[in-house]
Amino acid sequence: MNKQALKADLLLLLTSCIWGFGFVAQRSGMEYVGPFAFNGIRFILGSLSLLPLIRFRRWKGLDSKRIAGASGSLVFNSFLAGGCLFFAVTLQQWGILFTTAGNAGFITGLYVVLVPILGIVWGKKTGIPTWIGAGCTLSGLYFLSAAGHLESINPGDIVTAISAVFWALHVLLIDRLVKITDPLLLSSGQFAWCGSFSLIAAVTVEPFFGGWVQALNPALYASGLFSWHSLPALVSGIGSGSISGALLRSSLIPILYGGLGSVGVAYTLQVVAQQNAPPAHATIILCLEGCFAALGGVLLLREPLGTWTFLGFCLILSGTLITQWEVVAGGFGGKKAENG
């Protein structure tokens, strides 16, 4: 392996680590603010954090032709991508309310398996490895969520699995849109739309969200999962001084990590790294996101890691890699020269 490829792999490993620990930030951040407010603030921050990179690329003259021709369709394309992203992150954030960061990280990774399956609708072929991988991941989801008892399936895992469908749709949509829109401009635009939709929901829906959940399951309040303030109540509390500065400082850490770290820094690292990383390396390393989410959950949130859960993690990771078998086999096998 040459030095450039090794450096790229290390950057991808750091990217995967940042994204994985981002699930910890999403879980802990909702101790202070609601799910819509958390997503709204972090995606607006993420959109703004990409602007320096976009300006730098313009200054360097990189992809200037695509940037110049992208403005006409940028708003509409980023609106479409941002809308799909909004549904994906909203369901994921709701799911994290009821499940662990580790479970959320691995279950969200199901989108890697769902992408080629949903691609059938667009006439794309799906090979045997995809179906084998799908079987492994579904088995892993059973062990992860049911732990041998179907009657005890975690609703948060189911909601997160539904979010994975929207993540897969988002990947397929982005695959089409990047052919006509500059990727970085599209990313910044979709993050801005997603953040805007989330903030609107934080004002209109979030004040009633806690009440709905309390009516459905009062035990969730007893566990402390809904100790946060809705965005209107938070703004009002800051204005009246009833909300302490210590709470605000504590809430900033996960929000800044989720916005600047997971979105801004990690996305930039991915863009830089994948210029020199072999596709097989990138596939394997980025699949480790769920492993870092589980590690972060155990170390920082003291989430339990039992035998059933560990078996579920292993099956989902295996299924994800099997789904990408053609990329992995091509990168390490006969297509090495072609890729290089």
Side-chain angles (χ1 to χ4, degrees), residues 1 278 281 329-340:
M1 184 188 300
H281 294 198
F332 289 106
K335 295 183 181 179
K336 183 176 181 181
E338 184 179 334
N339 288 338

Side-chain angles (χ1 to χ4, degrees), residues 112-195:
V112 178
V113 179
L114 293 171
V115 165
I117 294 176
L118 293 176
I120 296 175
V121 179
W122 282 271
K124 295 184 178 181
K125 295 181 179 179
T126 300
I128 294 177
T130 297
W131 299 110
I132 296 175
C136 284
T137 54
L138 287 175
S139 300
L141 182 60
Y142 166 75
F143 287 116
L144 201 65
S145 186
H149 304 283
L150 285 174
E151 69 278 4
S152 63
I153 291 179
N154 188 332
D157 292 344
I158 302 302
V159 174
T160 308
I162 297 173
S163 81
V165 176
F166 282 92
W167 283 114
L169 291 172
H170 180 257
V171 169
L172 292 170
L173 180 61
I174 291 296
D175 181 61
R176 287 175 170 257
L177 294 181
V178 293
K179 296 173 182 176
I180 55 176
T181 311
D182 178 76
L184 275 180
L185 286 175
L186 178 64
S187 293
S188 183
Q190 70 166 342
F191 294 155
W193 278 111
C194 179

